[in-house]
Amino acid sequence: MKKIIIGITGFLILTGCTKEKLSDHLLAEPDQNEHLISENTSKIHKDKNTIRERFSPPEGYQWIEEKPGSFGYFIENFKLKPYGSQIVKYDGTPISTQHLHEAVFDIDTGNKDLQQCADAVIRMRAEYLYKMKKFNEIKFHFTSGDLLSWDDYKNGTRAFVSGNSVSFRKTAAFDDSYQSFRNYLDLIFNYAGTISLNKETKPVTRNSDLKTGDILITPGSPGHIVFISGVCENQKGERLFLLSEGFTPAQSVHLLSNPVNPYFTPWYDLDVNAAETKTARYFFKPTNFRSF
């Protein structure tokens, strides 16, 4: 099967979260001591190593329960690295900004500059489906619109890009190993991005429908994405949220602090109808929440 696409050779330029293209939407860095306020508001259990165990909601709020087996449950109970772990790039070196996160997910970044912002969400979603053995649901579109599933890839199908076209041919033997799965994801990271992920998800139009695993996304160039990694609620029905992200260059998936509202950090007050939403390292305008 062969489809003509527009500018496939420019996928990484158009859809990647390059630092230069993000510059107009990046927030100025706050005082590096602001994150210490979190110790006086929301309790952080630094000896715990899952989101659900490490982060207590602010006073008056309670965790919203996620159904076991759900994507949200998978995220909230995903293993974290020890508290204080640095965000490191794909080459193993730390990034320069280390005061805007409160947790690092215990998941590899790979050794290439591939697993950036949208890719971090794709990785978490794919790992969840893989763990749940929902193999036939592991499928992602390239920015061109072409779809490549894990079922096809493990059966030997490979993508071939030539100029403005992409074709798929069976050229490899069957391989359903985890390493083959990682190779599949690296291919997806190369050719998918915020544009394709935006199309693969559906809009969330009510605050009450926001849940762990939903995404906040700006598709295109510049483009970026964060994902909800915890939800709490008070008796009035008001909710607060934890946010996590990948970034560029490819680096550790991490949970963000909230320098925008240090009183509640790392929790965020989110509104699907807000004109814009500011996070620790990026502001989204317009606000665009979506769900798998």
Side-chain angles (χ1 to χ4, degrees):
M1 178 178 68
K2 185 175 183 180
K3 296 183 180 180
I4 302 300
I5 62 176
I6 299 175
I8 190 168
T9 55
F11 278 0
L12 296 180
I13 296 175
L14 292 174
T15 63
C17 301
T18 61
K19 187 171 184 180
E20 291 76 18
K21 293 181 183 298
L22 283 171
S23 59
D24 290 342
H25 286 247
L26 287 172
L27 295 178
E29 291 190 6
D31 187 301
Q32 296 194 17
N33 292 321
E34 284 191 7
H35 74 294
L36 297 177
I37 299 174
S38 65
E39 296 183 0
N40 299 321
T41 54
S42 302
K43 179 67 175 177
I44 298 177
H45 306 279
K46 298 180 180 180
D47 60 328
K48 303 299 183 181
N49 291 317
T50 67
I51 289 174
R52 187 61 181 257
E53 293 176 335
R54 183 175 293 180
F55 301 102
S56 291
E59 184 176 355
Y61 288 79
Q62 299 292 328
W63 272 98
I64 289 182
E65 297 291 334
E66 284 288 339
K67 183 178 179 181
S70 67
F71 185 36
Y73 188 90
F74 172 81
I75 291 173
E76 291 179 4
N77 292 278
F78 198 91
K79 184 180 179 182
L80 302 174
K81 292 186 176 181
Y83 187 82
S85 293
Q86 290 189 316
I87 298 172
V88 297
K89 294 182 285 188
Y90 64 95
D91 61 3
T93 60
I95 67 169
S96 58
T97 303
Q98 295 289 345
H99 64 286
L100 295 177
H101 71 282
E102 292 290 357
V104 174
F105 286 67
D106 191 5
I107 189 169
D108 73 276
T109 308
N111 57 12
K112 299 178 181 178
D113 191 9
L114 293 175
Q115 189 175 290
Q116 299 184 359
C117 59
D119 313 305
V121 174
I122 290 171
R123 178 75 187 279
M124 296 300 294
R125 181 67 179 176
E127 291 284 353
Y128 158 70
L129 295 172
Y130 190 91
K131 179 180 181 180
M132 300 303 295
K133 301 186 185 302
K134 297 181 179 181
F135 301 123
N136 63 337
E137 296 183 33
I138 304 174
K139 48 190 173 183
F140 298 95
H141 289 84
F142 293 174
T143 302
S144 64
D146 295 281
L147 179 69
L148 181 61
S149 70
W150 163 233
D151 279 344
D152 286 338
Y153 187 91
K154 71 183 180 184
N155 281 295
T157 298
R158 298 294 183 266
F160 295 87
V161 178
S162 177
N164 289 333
S165 65
V166 59
S167 61
F168 297 98
R169 299 194 300 273
K170 185 174 181 179
T171 60
F174 175 83
D175 184 355
D176 65 348
S177 67
Y178 183 77
Q179 182 56 56
S180 178
F181 174 65
R182 283 292 288 111
N183 294 340
Y184 162 75
L185 289 178
D186 278 351
L187 178 61
I188 296 298
F189 298 162
N190 247 316
Y191 296 114
T194 54
I195 293 174
S196 58
L197 201 56
N198 187 66
K199 293 178 180 178
E200 289 179 346
T201 50
K202 57 183 182 293
V204 180
T205 57
R206 297 188 303 179
N207 290 330
S208 58
D209 290 336
L210 285 175
K211 63 185 181 301
T212 301
D214 288 348
I215 61 176
L216 172 59
I217 183 171
T218 295
S221 178
H224 190 52
I225 181 172
V226 297
F227 62 94
I228 295 175
S229 42
V231 186
C232 66
E233 187 177 49
N234 64 16
Q235 291 185 345
K236 297 180 181 179
E238 298 166 334
R239 294 186 174 189
L240 297 173
F241 305 84
L242 297 172
L243 296 176
S244 299
E245 68 176 8
F247 214 76
T248 186
Q251 58 193 252
S252 310
V253 182
H254 52 276
L255 185 143
L256 294 165
S257 60
N258 184 2
V260 180
N261 187 351
Y263 181 78
F264 282 124
T265 188
W267 296 86
Y268 283 79
D269 181 9
L270 302 176
D271 182 359
V272 298
N273 296 311
E276 65 180 30
T277 299
K278 295 181 179 180
T279 66
R281 301 173 71 186
Y282 188 88
F283 70 86
F284 295 82
K285 187 176 182 178
T287 297
N288 178 30
F289 284 101
R290 305 186 71 83
S291 181
F292 287 98

